[in-house]
Amino acid sequence: MAPSHGIVHIRVPCPECGWAEKRADRTKLVHLDEDGARFAAVCLDHGPYEIDVDPENDAYIDLATLYRNLVKERLLVRGDTTLRVMLKGGDWAFGSQLVDGALGVLDTPGARMPLRIFTPQVLAPTGVKLSKSLLRDKGTDALPSDVEPWMLDTTQWPGNTDHYVDALLWLVGELLTDPKHFFRSFTVKELGRLMNSRPADLGQRPRAHEMGIYKRYFDLIASGQKTTEIRVNDSSRKRLKEGDLLRFKCRDEEVLTRITRLARYADFDEMFERELISSVNPTASKTDQLRNIREIYPPEREALGVVAIGIELVTP
Ligand SMILES: [Zn+2]
């Protein structure tokens, strides 16, 4: 795991200030038995210190990236029914091969190997990963001319925080319209070009909740025929409030609505007894609608409860 130097990068933070050596140069294992381990290390400010690591105390070990990820992913695959996903920068894809090797040595079953999603890498014009340490060490003057200042220092964004968040969300949405674009690397120049092609009115657009929806229901909403949307009452639906804006999206189409009312029910049966069937879908019977919605939501999702969302079209 540490082939280039043979030193395991275990970092035990100084109890006074929390600082720890990056490469464990002066960190030594002084005692090890079945109850725990004692490490000696040296803080630049506070001098030598010793730390006991055992199952009883809360000593904090800061492990190097590979070990840390092995520990995290090994913990994640311990049996429960939750699907865990690791989200990592694209430059970690190669490091993951080493973690996979270690997980294999630990007899991790194939079905329990962690699922990982890698985000795009941002590259300097030379093709190397854009380095934050460059900015830290040499200041903004050292940056290549294609690097816009906000790319390494978000406080340099020419606009307020809302504009920045809107622009980033737009960029990710843009990359995900063709998911294979998400698994590539982007030079700062290309990233700047993409960002500058965002719609000019992005900052003025009303902020709205967003929901994806099937085309046939999208069309009914856009034509004003569907004024009640049905969802299970999961965590994002609990954030909806009467009067909020709600944007429905279907591929590259979208329609903006305002929430006129919210009604929560125990299940779909109770909901369909109380709601006007034709406002949910004017083209289908109650029996058909109940069957359709149960094809979308399995029983464990319905068990969260159901919310009927009254909507009206917002004209731009
Ligand atoms: Zn210290």
Side-chain angles (χ1 to χ4, degrees):
M1 294 293 278
S4 61
H5 43 72
I7 296 171
V8 179
H9 288 173
I10 284 180
R11 298 181 288 224
V12 285
C14 165
E16 298 264 341
C17 67
W19 182 85
E21 289 190 307
K22 184 163 186 182
R23 299 186 200 288
D25 305 302
R26 279 162 294 184
T27 301
K28 301 274 179 284
L29 178 65
V30 293
H31 181 76
L32 177 68
D33 60 34
E34 61 266 31
D35 294 325
R38 165 164 288 207
F39 290 95
V42 182
C43 172
L44 290 182
D45 286 330
H46 300 103
Y49 57 93
E50 293 198 347
I51 298 273
D52 285 311
V53 178
D54 65 50
E56 303 297 316
N57 70 15
D58 55 1
Y60 171 76
I61 320 177
D62 179 13
L63 295 172
T65 313
L66 272 175
Y67 299 95
R68 196 162 61 233
N69 279 278
L70 177 60
V71 171
K72 272 197 289 195
E73 297 195 357
R74 181 66 181 175
L75 278 173
L76 288 187
V77 298
R78 286 198 179 155
D80 65 26
T81 56
T82 308
L83 175 65
R84 314 269 180 185
V85 179
M86 299 290 289
L87 192 66
K88 305 295 252 173
D91 56 325
W92 181 243
F94 301 107
S96 292
Q97 295 178 340
L98 296 173
V99 178
D100 283 345
L103 287 170
V105 169
L106 292 171
D107 282 333
T108 309
R112 292 216 149 268
M113 292 297 270
L115 185 62
R116 306 187 186 106
I117 292 177
F118 296 101
T119 60
Q121 269 194 88
V122 181
L123 307 180
T126 54
V128 299
K129 182 187 161 192
L130 185 65
S131 158
K132 283 193 285 274
S133 49
L134 183 70
L135 177 78
R136 199 166 51 231
D137 298 344
K138 297 184 178 162
T140 43
D141 294 344
L143 295 179
S145 59
D146 290 325
V147 179
E148 295 176 30
W150 61 266
M151 290 179 178
L152 281 171
D153 180 359
T154 53
T155 65
Q156 300 296 308
W157 175 257
N160 63 30
T161 307
D162 281 357
H163 291 159
Y164 182 58
V165 172
D166 288 341
L168 284 186
L169 285 175
W170 175 87
L171 178 67
V172 173
E174 196 65 10
L175 294 180
L176 286 175
T177 52
D178 190 345
K180 68 177 182 286
H181 291 166
F182 201 69
F183 301 104
R184 289 180 180 166
S185 302
F186 293 84
T187 61
V188 284
K189 191 170 185 176
E190 177 64 3
L191 200 62
R193 191 192 66 76
L194 279 168
M195 275 296 239
N196 289 327
S197 67
R198 70 186 187 276
D201 68 341
L202 201 62
Q204 283 85 53
R205 288 188 186 181
R207 300 174 79 79
H209 303 277
E210 288 191 353
M211 291 186 191
I213 193 163
Y214 290 122
K215 176 70 174 158
R216 60 179 184 277
Y217 301 123
F218 180 90
D219 289 342
L220 288 171
I221 290 173
S223 65
Q225 293 173 272
K226 175 172 168 62
T227 55
T228 305
E229 169 64 10
I230 306 302
R231 297 283 162 134
V232 294
N233 196 26
D234 58 16
S235 56
S236 33
R237 250 50 69 173
K238 283 179 182 148
R239 286 198 288 268
L240 300 177
K241 293 191 305 293
E242 203 177 301
D244 285 357
L245 294 173
L246 175 54
R247 186 180 291 117
F248 290 94
K249 299 182 97 164
C250 178
R251 298 208 181 89
D252 51 358
E253 290 181 285
E254 56 181 54
V255 60
L256 187 63
T257 67
R258 181 175 287 106
I259 299 175
T260 56
R261 68 186 178 91
L262 291 161
R264 293 189 161 86
Y265 301 103
D267 54 30
F268 292 126
D269 295 301
E270 189 196 356
M271 190 275 300
F272 274 115
E273 272 163 35
R274 308 268 291 276
E275 292 291 327
L276 190 64
I277 305 295
S278 62
S279 77
V280 179
N281 182 350
T283 66
S285 70
K286 179 176 168 178
T287 315
D288 286 347
Q289 290 196 44
L290 205 49
R291 195 186 57 238
N292 288 343
I293 202 153
R294 286 202 164 119
E295 274 169 14
I296 298 173
Y297 294 112
E300 67 269 22
R301 296 275 292 154
E302 184 175 349
L304 295 169
V306 171
V307 57
I309 308 162
I311 49 171
E312 62 182 11
L313 289 174
V314 175
T315 41

